[in-house]
Amino acid sequence: MSKEVVFSGIQPSGTIHIGNYLGAIKNWVALQDRYPCYYCVVDYHAITSPYEPKTFPHAVLDAVAANVAAGLDPARSTIFVQSQVPEHTELCWVLSAVTPVGELQRMTQYKDRARVRREVVNAGVLNYPILQAADILAYKGTLVPVGEDQEQHLELTREIARKFNAAYGPTFPEPEVLFTPSRRLMSLSDPKVKMSKSMPGSYLSLMADPPAIKEAVARAVTDTGPTPGGEMTPGVATLFQLLDVFAPAKTAERFRAAHRAGDLRYAELKASLAECLVEGLEPIRLRYRELIARPDTLRDMVRHGTARARPVACATLEEVREKIGILKT
Ligand code: TYM
């Protein structure tokens, strides 16, 4: 049995998009045959941003459905929901006692949110990376497949693990980050920023139907001004990134050659890409539709995942409580 343990998470906030898929979920699917894998819908992270409590349970099941539709297999991976394993939040508290506030304030995600209005940013946004560290360390995770935007949080997770180990003795591994070749997929509407759930128009939903796919690709920004020496503009580079994943290698190479020769027609590139995306995303969309129509099956899946995850997290917490000197009665 390998000593590697894979852990990763996704927030149930908004539609899961091809950035999530190419940057993370595709890797999760590939890893499930090699290592023990824990994949978590992180609902307690999501409540640090504005959300709708009434529809939140549905949003959580929706995220489970999308991940399973994308290829996660509840028989091979432990797929579960963060709030169902309260040991995550307990470990978060313990780890907060070894985490310097200064490190939390240095996090880009916190700085971005605090820049808008420092006095209203909630403490959950500041403490967010500690809960993320707790997610991973509750399973003694060693490999964390994520997109590039999570790298800083992973660095902090390693530091938290080091600090805990130094204070209380060797307990946690220092988890490594795993990237895919698409570790950062840019926005379709503004290729200078990353594709993001919080920016409508920036993303293509993983569950988009053929008309929505065609429209999103047709609208994708290609030229953002002149580039030196005929280099690819960031928007065109994003289209090629998608082509590399969804089109046959021959097709991608043909368009690359046209780009090099200076006679690439964006309309042709987009039409071909849209077709490949329609074909590539079709099985995911159909499977998602089946799953989302059966909320009871999804609930069973979550229960099954919780039953597998919780004993592992409980064992870690028992060890942690003992090491930090918590009363046992
Ligand atoms: P979240 O929900 O924002 O995103 C889920 C995953 O998708 C990746 N991703 C991208 N990858 C490439 N290009 C993009 N444009 C793009 N947008 C998103 C993210 O990097 C991520 O891997 N904090 C995490 C959730 C989390 C977590 C964890 C992750 C909580 N606990 C423990 C790993 C381990 C987040 O907000 O992901």
Side-chain angles (χ1 to χ4, degrees), residues 11 19-20 128 132 135 146-147 149-150 183 185 195 197:
Q11 295 194 64
N20 300 129
Y128 183 111
Q132 181 158 348
D135 294 338
V146 283
D149 60 331
Q150 296 302 314
R183 54 169 74 176
L185 194 68
M195 182 177 288
K197 283 179 219 167

Side-chain angles (χ1 to χ4, degrees), residues 21-320:
Y21 180 62
L22 297 185
I25 302 169
K26 203 161 181 283
N27 226 0
W28 302 0
V29 175
L31 289 162
Q32 50 185 358
D33 285 326
R34 297 178 53 195
Y35 305 115
C37 293
Y38 294 85
Y39 298 125
C40 187
V41 174
V42 292
D43 49 352
Y44 275 149
H45 275 114
I47 67 164
T48 61
S49 297
Y51 74 105
E52 176 51 66
K54 280 205 188 71
T55 52
F56 199 49
H58 180 265
V60 170
L61 290 184
D62 188 82
V64 173
N67 277 289
V68 173
L72 291 193
D73 176 1
R76 283 179 292 160
S77 297
T78 302
I79 302 164
F80 69 110
V81 175
Q82 187 184 40
S83 57
Q84 313 298 295
V85 183
E87 285 70 24
H88 289 224
T89 41
E90 184 179 348
L91 183 56
C92 173
W93 181 257
V94 173
L95 296 179
S96 76
V98 297
T99 307
V101 174
E103 290 297 315
L104 297 171
Q105 285 167 334
R106 236 174 31 79
M107 295 291 114
T108 314
Q109 186 179 305
Y110 169 73
K111 286 200 288 195
D112 286 349
R113 300 269 299 270
R115 195 175 295 131
V116 185
R117 273 176 72 194
R118 194 181 192 93
E119 68 282 9
V120 296
V121 69
N122 63 62
V125 175
L126 181 68
N127 294 328
Y128 183 111
I130 315 178
L131 182 56
Q132 181 158 348
D135 294 338
I136 300 165
L137 298 178
Y139 304 89
K140 303 199 175 182
T142 58
L143 299 175
V144 185
V146 283
E148 197 178 74
D149 60 331
Q150 296 302 314
E151 190 170 24
Q152 202 186 28
H153 286 167
L154 257 293
E155 263 167 37
L156 183 55
T157 299
R158 283 196 291 276
E159 186 180 340
I160 292 173
R162 262 196 308 277
K163 283 207 164 15
F164 186 96
N165 293 345
Y168 300 109
T171 309
F172 296 120
E174 286 180 39
E176 273 173 48
V177 55
L178 283 184
F179 290 132
T180 65
S182 327
R183 54 169 74 176
R184 185 171 158 85
L185 194 68
M186 304 314 275
S187 155
L188 296 176
S189 51
D190 176 5
K192 289 189 293 302
V193 299
K194 75 166 180 117
M195 182 177 288
S196 160
K197 283 179 219 167
S198 57
M199 261 184 286
S202 87
Y203 62 79
L204 171 63
S205 163
L206 191 58
M207 278 72 64
D209 59 15
I213 294 173
K214 285 178 188 153
E215 198 203 316
V217 175
R219 272 196 295 105
V221 171
T222 45
D223 279 322
T224 42
T227 51
E231 242 177 60
M232 238 181 233
T233 59
V236 175
T238 301
L239 299 183
F240 271 99
Q241 217 177 342
L242 293 176
L243 214 53
D244 284 338
V245 177
F246 289 97
K250 280 202 315 298
T251 310
E253 195 32 60
R254 179 163 58 79
F255 283 113
R256 257 204 186 90
H259 182 267
R260 278 194 300 271
D263 56 11
L264 173 66
R265 286 171 195 275
Y266 293 146
E268 266 176 40
L269 169 69
K270 284 182 164 186
S272 182
L273 174 61
E275 225 154 82
C276 296
L277 279 166
V278 166
E279 201 182 308
L281 297 182
E282 176 90 344
I284 298 180
R285 185 171 59 88
L286 295 181
R287 179 122 178 81
Y288 167 79
R289 271 216 325 233
E290 268 174 38
L291 286 162
I292 204 66
R294 302 201 320 261
D296 289 342
T297 309
L298 290 169
R299 276 200 187 81
D300 281 347
M301 265 181 207
V302 173
R303 268 196 290 273
H304 172 74
T306 307
R308 276 165 57 161
R310 193 147 188 216
V312 181
C314 282
T316 305
L317 261 293
E318 204 171 297
E319 182 187 349
V320 164

